[in-house]
Amino acid sequence: MTGKVLWESPDGTLVRGIRQITPGVVTDVEANELFAVVSGRATAEAEGGATVEVGPWIGLRAP
């Protein structure tokens, strides 16, 4: 995974950026995240087992 931070709040609690995720498993433990898929596909799995298929131009908010 590679990325670039485009903006960060003065207190560091909010961050806006772009990430490119390569094939494989990514473990992300963000407390609150909003993302949009620009290209490719993925399966997002929440703790507890719920899954969502995401693809181009699909947004997802993960608490």
Side-chain angles (χ1 to χ4, degrees):
M1 176 170 57
T2 59
K4 179 173 179 66
V5 172
L6 302 175
W7 176 85
E8 186 170 348
S9 64
D11 64 1
T13 59
L14 299 173
V15 178
R16 303 291 182 258
I18 298 172
R19 286 195 263 179
Q20 180 176 354
I21 300 176
T22 54
V25 175
V26 175
T27 302
D28 193 348
V29 292
E30 301 281 338
N32 190 345
E33 183 171 9
L34 171 67
F35 68 90
V37 177
V38 177
S39 68
R41 297 202 162 279
T43 302
E45 182 177 340
E47 195 171 288
T51 61
V52 176
E53 298 294 322
V54 293
W57 303 110
I58 294 175
L60 180 65
R61 182 177 183 274

